[in-house]
mmCIF file of all heavy atoms in Angstrom:
data_model
loop_
_atom_site.group_PDB
_atom_site.id
_atom_site.type_symbol
_atom_site.label_atom_id
_atom_site.label_comp_id
_atom_site.label_asym_id
_atom_site.label_seq_id
_atom_site.Cartn_x
_atom_site.Cartn_y
_atom_site.Cartn_z
ATOM 1 N N TRP A 1 -3.941 -3.621 6.531
ATOM 2 C CA TRP A 1 -4.368 -2.238 6.809
ATOM 3 C C TRP A 1 -5.898 -2.193 6.752
ATOM 4 O O TRP A 1 -6.504 -2.977 6.020
ATOM 5 C CB TRP A 1 -3.754 -1.301 5.785
ATOM 6 C CG TRP A 1 -3.784 0.167 6.158
ATOM 7 C CD1 TRP A 1 -4.580 1.122 5.660
ATOM 8 C CD2 TRP A 1 -2.962 0.778 7.138
ATOM 9 N NE1 TRP A 1 -4.309 2.337 6.253
ATOM 10 C CE2 TRP A 1 -3.300 2.134 7.163
ATOM 11 C CE3 TRP A 1 -1.989 0.325 8.023
ATOM 12 C CZ2 TRP A 1 -2.692 3.050 8.019
ATOM 13 C CZ3 TRP A 1 -1.372 1.227 8.864
ATOM 14 C CH2 TRP A 1 -1.739 2.565 8.856
ATOM 15 N N ALA A 2 -6.494 -1.296 7.521
ATOM 16 C CA ALA A 2 -7.951 -1.194 7.558
ATOM 17 C C ALA A 2 -8.469 -0.679 6.189
ATOM 18 O O ALA A 2 -7.925 0.293 5.660
ATOM 19 C CB ALA A 2 -8.392 -0.235 8.650
ATOM 20 N N LYS A 3 -9.496 -1.339 5.673
ATOM 21 C CA LYS A 3 -10.064 -0.961 4.389
ATOM 22 C C LYS A 3 -11.505 -0.419 4.596
ATOM 23 O O LYS A 3 -12.394 -1.158 5.050
ATOM 24 C CB LYS A 3 -10.125 -2.159 3.447
ATOM 25 C CG LYS A 3 -10.569 -1.750 2.019
ATOM 26 C CD LYS A 3 -10.440 -2.936 1.066
ATOM 27 C CE LYS A 3 -10.764 -2.506 -0.348
ATOM 28 N NZ LYS A 3 -10.638 -3.623 -1.300
ATOM 29 N N PRO A 4 -11.700 0.849 4.364
ATOM 30 C CA PRO A 4 -13.020 1.507 4.591
ATOM 31 C C PRO A 4 -14.190 0.771 3.936
ATOM 32 O O PRO A 4 -15.254 0.625 4.547
ATOM 33 C CB PRO A 4 -12.836 2.895 4.034
ATOM 34 C CG PRO A 4 -11.387 3.160 4.128
ATOM 35 C CD PRO A 4 -10.743 1.836 3.861
ATOM 36 N N SER A 5 -13.976 0.301 2.692
ATOM 37 C CA SER A 5 -15.091 -0.327 1.958
ATOM 38 C C SER A 5 -15.435 -1.709 2.496
ATOM 39 O O SER A 5 -16.407 -2.322 2.086
ATOM 40 C CB SER A 5 -14.765 -0.425 0.460
ATOM 41 O OG SER A 5 -13.593 -1.217 0.280
ATOM 42 N N LYS A 6 -14.594 -2.228 3.423
ATOM 43 C CA LYS A 6 -14.876 -3.515 4.068
ATOM 44 C C LYS A 6 -15.043 -3.318 5.570
ATOM 45 O O LYS A 6 -14.542 -4.070 6.398
ATOM 46 C CB LYS A 6 -13.796 -4.548 3.787
ATOM 47 C CG LYS A 6 -13.818 -5.073 2.349
ATOM 48 C CD LYS A 6 -12.997 -6.348 2.195
ATOM 49 C CE LYS A 6 -13.235 -6.962 0.835
ATOM 50 N NZ LYS A 6 -12.509 -8.229 0.611
ATOM 51 N N ASN A 7 -15.747 -2.249 5.916
ATOM 52 C CA ASN A 7 -16.025 -1.898 7.324
ATOM 53 C C ASN A 7 -14.748 -1.813 8.142
ATOM 54 O O ASN A 7 -14.742 -2.200 9.331
ATOM 55 C CB ASN A 7 -16.973 -2.968 7.939
ATOM 56 C CG ASN A 7 -18.305 -3.015 7.253
ATOM 57 O OD1 ASN A 7 -18.888 -1.962 6.979
ATOM 58 N ND2 ASN A 7 -18.806 -4.198 6.981
ATOM 59 N N ASN A 8 -13.736 -1.243 7.527
ATOM 60 C CA ASN A 8 -12.468 -1.024 8.190
ATOM 61 C C ASN A 8 -11.786 -2.335 8.667
ATOM 62 O O ASN A 8 -10.995 -2.293 9.630
ATOM 63 C CB ASN A 8 -12.574 -0.036 9.374
ATOM 64 C CG ASN A 8 -12.715 1.388 8.888
ATOM 65 O OD1 ASN A 8 -12.082 1.826 7.967
ATOM 66 N ND2 ASN A 8 -13.640 2.129 9.521
ATOM 67 N N ALA A 9 -12.159 -3.430 8.023
ATOM 68 C CA ALA A 9 -11.503 -4.691 8.359
ATOM 69 C C ALA A 9 -10.080 -4.681 7.863
ATOM 70 O O ALA A 9 -9.741 -4.035 6.875
ATOM 71 C CB ALA A 9 -12.291 -5.881 7.686
ATOM 72 N N ASP A 10 -9.217 -5.381 8.627
ATOM 73 C CA ASP A 10 -7.790 -5.502 8.168
ATOM 74 C C ASP A 10 -7.668 -6.398 6.989
ATOM 75 O O ASP A 10 -8.082 -7.596 7.086
ATOM 76 C CB ASP A 10 -6.910 -6.011 9.338
ATOM 77 C CG ASP A 10 -6.663 -4.939 10.389
ATOM 78 O OD1 ASP A 10 -6.842 -3.754 10.060
ATOM 79 O OD2 ASP A 10 -6.258 -5.311 11.504
ATOM 80 N N VAL A 11 -7.136 -5.916 5.873
ATOM 81 C CA VAL A 11 -6.974 -6.741 4.672
ATOM 82 C C VAL A 11 -5.501 -6.502 4.189
ATOM 83 O O VAL A 11 -4.830 -5.544 4.597
ATOM 84 C CB VAL A 11 -7.968 -6.357 3.587
ATOM 85 C CG1 VAL A 11 -9.391 -6.610 4.039
ATOM 86 C CG2 VAL A 11 -7.795 -4.952 3.111
ATOM 87 N N ASP A 12 -5.077 -7.373 3.281
ATOM 88 C CA ASP A 12 -3.721 -7.283 2.762
ATOM 89 C C ASP A 12 -3.527 -6.046 1.898
ATOM 90 O O ASP A 12 -4.396 -5.698 1.075
ATOM 91 C CB ASP A 12 -3.371 -8.516 1.945
ATOM 92 C CG ASP A 12 -3.236 -9.752 2.806
ATOM 93 O OD1 ASP A 12 -2.909 -9.588 4.016
ATOM 94 O OD2 ASP A 12 -3.415 -10.855 2.279
ATOM 95 N N LYS A 13 -2.427 -5.378 2.084
ATOM 96 C CA LYS A 13 -2.044 -4.222 1.259
ATOM 97 C C LYS A 13 -0.584 -4.387 0.836
ATOM 98 O O LYS A 13 0.224 -4.899 1.576
ATOM 99 C CB LYS A 13 -2.237 -2.924 2.036
ATOM 100 C CG LYS A 13 -2.176 -1.681 1.158
ATOM 101 C CD LYS A 13 -2.607 -0.421 1.920
ATOM 102 C CE LYS A 13 -2.681 0.764 0.985
ATOM 103 N NZ LYS A 13 -3.159 1.971 1.707
ATOM 104 N N LEU A 14 -0.293 -3.976 -0.375
ATOM 105 C CA LEU A 14 1.047 -4.076 -0.929
ATOM 106 C C LEU A 14 1.514 -2.658 -1.340
ATOM 107 O O LEU A 14 0.784 -1.932 -1.974
ATOM 108 C CB LEU A 14 1.035 -4.994 -2.160
ATOM 109 C CG LEU A 14 2.370 -5.245 -2.848
ATOM 110 C CD1 LEU A 14 3.295 -6.111 -1.933
ATOM 111 C CD2 LEU A 14 2.165 -5.987 -4.163
ATOM 112 N N SER A 15 2.742 -2.326 -0.912
ATOM 113 C CA SER A 15 3.288 -1.031 -1.247
ATOM 114 C C SER A 15 4.679 -1.191 -1.881
ATOM 115 O O SER A 15 5.384 -2.156 -1.613
ATOM 116 C CB SER A 15 3.401 -0.130 -0.039
ATOM 117 O OG SER A 15 2.114 0.319 0.372
ATOM 118 N N TYR A 16 5.033 -0.210 -2.681
ATOM 119 C CA TYR A 16 6.356 -0.170 -3.313
ATOM 120 C C TYR A 16 6.939 1.200 -3.052
ATOM 121 O O TYR A 16 6.270 2.212 -3.109
ATOM 122 C CB TYR A 16 6.258 -0.406 -4.836
ATOM 123 C CG TYR A 16 7.574 -0.353 -5.561
ATOM 124 C CD1 TYR A 16 8.484 -1.416 -5.433
ATOM 125 C CD2 TYR A 16 7.942 0.760 -6.326
ATOM 126 C CE1 TYR A 16 9.688 -1.361 -6.088
ATOM 127 C CE2 TYR A 16 9.137 0.792 -6.984
ATOM 128 C CZ TYR A 16 10.015 -0.303 -6.871
ATOM 129 O OH TYR A 16 11.246 -0.242 -7.479
ATOM 130 N N ALA A 17 8.226 1.242 -2.706
ATOM 131 C CA ALA A 17 8.887 2.473 -2.350
ATOM 132 C C ALA A 17 10.284 2.566 -2.944
ATOM 133 O O ALA A 17 10.963 1.539 -3.108
ATOM 134 C CB ALA A 17 8.953 2.638 -0.836
ATOM 135 N N VAL A 18 10.699 3.801 -3.262
ATOM 136 C CA VAL A 18 12.082 4.064 -3.723
ATOM 137 C C VAL A 18 12.611 5.215 -2.917
ATOM 138 O O VAL A 18 11.846 5.947 -2.234
ATOM 139 C CB VAL A 18 12.153 4.368 -5.212
ATOM 140 C CG1 VAL A 18 11.663 3.202 -6.060
ATOM 141 C CG2 VAL A 18 11.354 5.628 -5.551
ATOM 142 N N GLY A 19 13.895 5.474 -3.016
ATOM 143 C CA GLY A 19 14.510 6.530 -2.223
ATOM 144 C C GLY A 19 14.991 7.722 -3.076
ATOM 145 O O GLY A 19 15.405 7.518 -4.235
ATOM 146 N N LEU A 20 14.933 8.911 -2.506
ATOM 147 C CA LEU A 20 15.598 10.084 -3.055
ATOM 148 C C LEU A 20 16.745 10.383 -2.104
ATOM 149 O O LEU A 20 16.610 11.035 -1.092
ATOM 150 C CB LEU A 20 14.640 11.270 -3.132
ATOM 151 C CG LEU A 20 13.421 11.096 -4.007
ATOM 152 C CD1 LEU A 20 12.533 12.383 -3.991
ATOM 153 C CD2 LEU A 20 13.793 10.790 -5.448
ATOM 154 N N GLU A 21 17.910 9.753 -2.419
ATOM 155 C CA GLU A 21 19.044 9.763 -1.484
ATOM 156 C C GLU A 21 19.491 11.115 -1.061
ATOM 157 O O GLU A 21 19.818 11.365 0.088
ATOM 158 C CB GLU A 21 20.190 8.947 -2.100
ATOM 159 C CG GLU A 21 19.911 7.443 -2.244
ATOM 160 C CD GLU A 21 19.652 6.808 -0.914
ATOM 161 O OE1 GLU A 21 20.285 7.152 0.084
ATOM 162 O OE2 GLU A 21 18.756 5.922 -0.869
ATOM 163 N N LYS A 22 19.558 12.040 -2.005
ATOM 164 C CA LYS A 22 20.083 13.393 -1.707
ATOM 165 C C LYS A 22 19.303 14.062 -0.626
ATOM 166 O O LYS A 22 19.837 14.777 0.227
ATOM 167 C CB LYS A 22 20.089 14.227 -2.989
ATOM 168 C CG LYS A 22 20.639 15.616 -2.827
ATOM 169 C CD LYS A 22 20.885 16.262 -4.197
ATOM 170 C CE LYS A 22 19.641 16.383 -5.036
ATOM 171 N NZ LYS A 22 19.894 16.997 -6.350
ATOM 172 N N TRP A 23 17.964 13.823 -0.629
ATOM 173 C CA TRP A 23 17.094 14.439 0.335
ATOM 174 C C TRP A 23 16.752 13.493 1.510
ATOM 175 O O TRP A 23 16.093 13.857 2.428
ATOM 176 C CB TRP A 23 15.785 14.914 -0.305
ATOM 177 C CG TRP A 23 15.962 16.096 -1.206
ATOM 178 C CD1 TRP A 23 17.109 16.845 -1.384
ATOM 179 C CD2 TRP A 23 15.010 16.616 -2.106
ATOM 180 N NE1 TRP A 23 16.898 17.838 -2.305
ATOM 181 C CE2 TRP A 23 15.593 17.734 -2.779
ATOM 182 C CE3 TRP A 23 13.673 16.276 -2.412
ATOM 183 C CZ2 TRP A 23 14.921 18.488 -3.726
ATOM 184 C CZ3 TRP A 23 13.016 17.023 -3.393
ATOM 185 C CH2 TRP A 23 13.643 18.127 -4.033
ATOM 186 N N GLN A 24 17.210 12.257 1.395
ATOM 187 C CA GLN A 24 16.914 11.287 2.428
ATOM 188 C C GLN A 24 15.407 11.057 2.595
ATOM 189 O O GLN A 24 14.846 11.018 3.677
ATOM 190 C CB GLN A 24 17.527 11.697 3.787
ATOM 191 C CG GLN A 24 19.074 11.812 3.770
ATOM 192 C CD GLN A 24 19.736 10.440 3.695
ATOM 193 O OE1 GLN A 24 19.814 9.746 4.701
ATOM 194 N NE2 GLN A 24 20.241 10.099 2.523
ATOM 195 N N TRP A 25 14.791 10.938 1.406
ATOM 196 C CA TRP A 25 13.304 10.683 1.380
ATOM 197 C C TRP A 25 12.971 9.305 0.820
ATOM 198 O O TRP A 25 13.716 8.756 0.025
ATOM 199 C CB TRP A 25 12.670 11.703 0.414
ATOM 200 C CG TRP A 25 12.516 13.084 0.921
ATOM 201 C CD1 TRP A 25 13.062 13.644 2.087
ATOM 202 C CD2 TRP A 25 11.777 14.164 0.267
ATOM 203 N NE1 TRP A 25 12.747 14.983 2.140
ATOM 204 C CE2 TRP A 25 11.940 15.303 1.058
ATOM 205 C CE3 TRP A 25 11.075 14.233 -0.925
ATOM 206 C CZ2 TRP A 25 11.396 16.527 0.723
ATOM 207 C CZ3 TRP A 25 10.487 15.447 -1.247
ATOM 208 C CH2 TRP A 25 10.637 16.577 -0.439
ATOM 209 N N MET A 26 11.877 8.791 1.305
ATOM 210 C CA MET A 26 11.291 7.617 0.775
ATOM 211 C C MET A 26 9.949 7.994 0.120
ATOM 212 O O MET A 26 9.133 8.689 0.766
ATOM 213 C CB MET A 26 11.024 6.566 1.814
ATOM 214 C CG MET A 26 10.233 5.341 1.377
ATOM 215 S SD MET A 26 8.458 5.474 1.564
ATOM 216 C CE MET A 26 8.269 5.268 3.319
ATOM 217 N N ILE A 27 9.750 7.659 -1.145
ATOM 218 C CA ILE A 27 8.442 7.919 -1.750
ATOM 219 C C ILE A 27 7.892 6.577 -2.282
ATOM 220 O O ILE A 27 8.627 5.717 -2.702
ATOM 221 C CB ILE A 27 8.534 8.981 -2.922
ATOM 222 C CG1 ILE A 27 9.241 8.397 -4.119
ATOM 223 C CG2 ILE A 27 9.177 10.234 -2.420
ATOM 224 C CD1 ILE A 27 9.212 9.310 -5.327
ATOM 225 N N GLY A 28 6.591 6.456 -2.175
ATOM 226 C CA GLY A 28 5.979 5.179 -2.602
ATOM 227 C C GLY A 28 4.509 5.271 -2.756
ATOM 228 O O GLY A 28 3.886 6.357 -2.583
ATOM 229 N N THR A 29 3.910 4.162 -3.072
ATOM 230 C CA THR A 29 2.479 4.057 -3.201
ATOM 231 C C THR A 29 2.066 2.606 -2.911
ATOM 232 O O THR A 29 2.910 1.718 -2.894
ATOM 233 C CB THR A 29 1.991 4.503 -4.566
ATOM 234 O OG1 THR A 29 0.539 4.645 -4.572
ATOM 235 C CG2 THR A 29 2.359 3.512 -5.665
ATOM 236 N N GLY A 30 0.781 2.401 -2.723
ATOM 237 C CA GLY A 30 0.344 1.030 -2.436
ATOM 238 C C GLY A 30 -1.171 0.932 -2.673
ATOM 239 O O GLY A 30 -1.855 1.914 -2.791
ATOM 240 N N PHE A 31 -1.608 -0.311 -2.782
ATOM 241 C CA PHE A 31 -3.026 -0.532 -2.788
ATOM 242 C C PHE A 31 -3.401 -1.890 -2.225
ATOM 243 O O PHE A 31 -2.569 -2.793 -2.084
ATOM 244 C CB PHE A 31 -3.680 -0.314 -4.182
ATOM 245 C CG PHE A 31 -2.884 -0.857 -5.355
ATOM 246 C CD1 PHE A 31 -2.493 -2.168 -5.440
ATOM 247 C CD2 PHE A 31 -2.540 0.004 -6.356
ATOM 248 C CE1 PHE A 31 -1.801 -2.632 -6.532
ATOM 249 C CE2 PHE A 31 -1.813 -0.451 -7.481
ATOM 250 C CZ PHE A 31 -1.463 -1.743 -7.552
ATOM 251 N N TYR A 32 -4.687 -2.026 -1.890
ATOM 252 C CA TYR A 32 -5.180 -3.266 -1.310
ATOM 253 C C TYR A 32 -5.108 -4.401 -2.342
ATOM 254 O O TYR A 32 -5.404 -4.160 -3.532
ATOM 255 C CB TYR A 32 -6.601 -3.073 -0.798
ATOM 256 C CG TYR A 32 -6.721 -2.072 0.302
ATOM 257 C CD1 TYR A 32 -7.162 -0.779 0.064
ATOM 258 C CD2 TYR A 32 -6.359 -2.459 1.594
ATOM 259 C CE1 TYR A 32 -7.253 0.141 1.104
ATOM 260 C CE2 TYR A 32 -6.428 -1.502 2.656
ATOM 261 C CZ TYR A 32 -6.892 -0.211 2.415
ATOM 262 O OH TYR A 32 -6.972 0.674 3.403
ATOM 263 N N VAL A 33 -4.769 -5.574 -1.859
ATOM 264 C CA VAL A 33 -4.719 -6.725 -2.770
ATOM 265 C C VAL A 33 -5.634 -7.861 -2.294
ATOM 266 O O VAL A 33 -5.467 -9.018 -2.692
ATOM 267 C CB VAL A 33 -3.244 -7.234 -2.834
ATOM 268 C CG1 VAL A 33 -2.356 -6.205 -3.550
ATOM 269 C CG2 VAL A 33 -2.690 -7.574 -1.459
ATOM 270 N N ASP A 34 -6.649 -7.523 -1.511
ATOM 271 C CA ASP A 34 -7.621 -8.514 -1.075
ATOM 272 C C ASP A 34 -8.427 -9.080 -2.221
ATOM 273 O O ASP A 34 -8.996 -10.193 -2.145
ATOM 274 C CB ASP A 34 -8.538 -7.999 0.020
ATOM 275 C CG ASP A 34 -9.234 -6.726 -0.431
ATOM 276 O OD1 ASP A 34 -8.564 -5.774 -0.937
ATOM 277 O OD2 ASP A 34 -10.487 -6.612 -0.268
ATOM 278 N N ASP A 35 -8.460 -8.325 -3.354
ATOM 279 C CA ASP A 35 -9.219 -8.808 -4.511
ATOM 280 C C ASP A 35 -8.521 -10.058 -5.106
ATOM 281 O O ASP A 35 -9.207 -10.875 -5.736
ATOM 282 C CB ASP A 35 -9.326 -7.743 -5.602
ATOM 283 C CG ASP A 35 -7.984 -7.180 -6.045
ATOM 284 O OD1 ASP A 35 -7.070 -7.124 -5.201
ATOM 285 O OD2 ASP A 35 -7.877 -6.819 -7.222
ATOM 286 N N ILE A 36 -7.226 -10.208 -4.869
ATOM 287 C CA ILE A 36 -6.512 -11.433 -5.299
ATOM 288 C C ILE A 36 -7.070 -12.643 -4.531
ATOM 289 O O ILE A 36 -7.415 -13.658 -5.113
ATOM 290 C CB ILE A 36 -5.007 -11.294 -5.072
ATOM 291 C CG1 ILE A 36 -4.401 -10.223 -5.998
ATOM 292 C CG2 ILE A 36 -4.331 -12.649 -5.336
ATOM 293 C CD1 ILE A 36 -2.911 -9.982 -5.792
ATOM 294 N N ASP A 37 -7.196 -12.496 -3.234
ATOM 295 C CA ASP A 37 -7.791 -13.552 -2.402
ATOM 296 C C ASP A 37 -9.205 -13.881 -2.827
ATOM 297 O O ASP A 37 -9.607 -15.046 -2.901
ATOM 298 C CB ASP A 37 -7.733 -13.218 -0.921
ATOM 299 C CG ASP A 37 -6.306 -13.227 -0.370
ATOM 300 O OD1 ASP A 37 -5.484 -13.983 -0.873
ATOM 301 O OD2 ASP A 37 -6.043 -12.497 0.613
ATOM 302 N N ASP A 38 -10.001 -12.819 -3.127
ATOM 303 C CA ASP A 38 -11.379 -13.033 -3.517
ATOM 304 C C ASP A 38 -11.427 -13.816 -4.851
ATOM 305 O O ASP A 38 -12.259 -14.722 -4.980
ATOM 306 C CB ASP A 38 -12.092 -11.671 -3.713
ATOM 307 C CG ASP A 38 -12.259 -10.918 -2.396
ATOM 308 O OD1 ASP A 38 -12.110 -11.577 -1.331
ATOM 309 O OD2 ASP A 38 -12.464 -9.684 -2.460
ATOM 310 N N THR A 39 -10.531 -13.514 -5.776
ATOM 311 C CA THR A 39 -10.490 -14.185 -7.043
ATOM 312 C C THR A 39 -10.068 -15.653 -6.876
ATOM 313 O O THR A 39 -10.633 -16.559 -7.486
ATOM 314 C CB THR A 39 -9.519 -13.511 -8.018
ATOM 315 O OG1 THR A 39 -9.950 -12.155 -8.220
ATOM 316 C CG2 THR A 39 -9.473 -14.204 -9.355
ATOM 317 N N VAL A 40 -9.097 -15.876 -5.977
ATOM 318 C CA VAL A 40 -8.579 -17.229 -5.753
ATOM 319 C C VAL A 40 -9.690 -18.096 -5.047
ATOM 320 O O VAL A 40 -9.921 -19.247 -5.416
ATOM 321 C CB VAL A 40 -7.332 -17.219 -4.877
ATOM 322 C CG1 VAL A 40 -6.999 -18.595 -4.363
ATOM 323 C CG2 VAL A 40 -6.166 -16.627 -5.667
#
């Protein structure tokens, strides 16, 4: 996904989601994980 702080360059992002079955909803959140690559 494009990361604004890296001039909108495409970097790795990880998201996690769960469902609210009764309403047929997916809710989730995510964040960039390019700092892992930087550390490595």
